[in-house]
Amino acid sequence: MLDTDEQPTGSQTKARDDYLLDVEHTRQGYALNQMCGSLIRAENRARFSENEARYCDEFGLSPEQKQAVLERDWTAMMNLGGSIFYTFKLATLDKKSMQYLGGVFTGMSTEQFTEALRSGGRRFG
């Protein structure tokens, strides 16, 4: 697992800035979002922690979704139909904050992202 301020490297996917929640994307991410959403229950978190790959298989994740979950490639999860509202449940299991994920998606450290929020956010254009 990554430390709070450490960002993914290597084969991690680059975030886009044009995610669109539409029917196709929702259908694509259904199993992934169901699996992440199930982590709200303590017994499911324990089962997931015992064998993450098997737990993913129980929900019928695609091979790409399963790989993204096992590698904690947060951006790939979004690209594969994941919703931040569901994948955040997985992040909290890893003791990751929403600011951490914001850093992942913007290429900032957790601290840089938090400071950007405090100073009014990023400027575009």
Side-chain angles (χ1 to χ4, degrees), residues 8-72:
T9 58
S11 66
Q12 299 294 312
T13 309
K14 185 172 183 242
R16 300 181 352 237
D17 63 358
D18 64 346
Y19 292 102
L20 177 64
L21 182 61
D22 60 12
V23 173
E24 181 181 341
H25 200 71
T26 301
R27 284 184 184 138
Q28 179 188 21
Y30 183 79
L32 173 61
N33 291 322
Q34 287 293 108
M35 189 278 299
C36 289
S38 75
L39 299 174
I40 198 166
R41 300 180 59 97
E43 60 269 19
N44 291 338
R45 291 191 300 272
R47 287 182 45 236
F48 176 83
S49 296
E50 287 173 14
N51 189 326
E52 294 182 5
R54 183 178 62 217
Y55 196 81
C56 289
D57 290 340
E58 289 177 22
F59 283 85
L61 271 63
S62 71
E64 295 83 9
Q65 289 171 329
K66 180 178 174 180
Q67 180 179 356
V69 168
L70 297 178
E71 293 178 359
R72 300 306 196 267

Side-chain angles (χ1 to χ4, degrees), residues 7 74 84 87-88 91 96-106 110 113:
Q7 298 301 315
W74 305 104
I84 189 62
T87 56
F88 183 59
K96 302 297 182 199
S97 67
M98 187 60 82
Q99 291 80 9
Y100 167 82
L101 291 179
V104 169
F105 296 136
T106 60
T110 303
F113 185 79

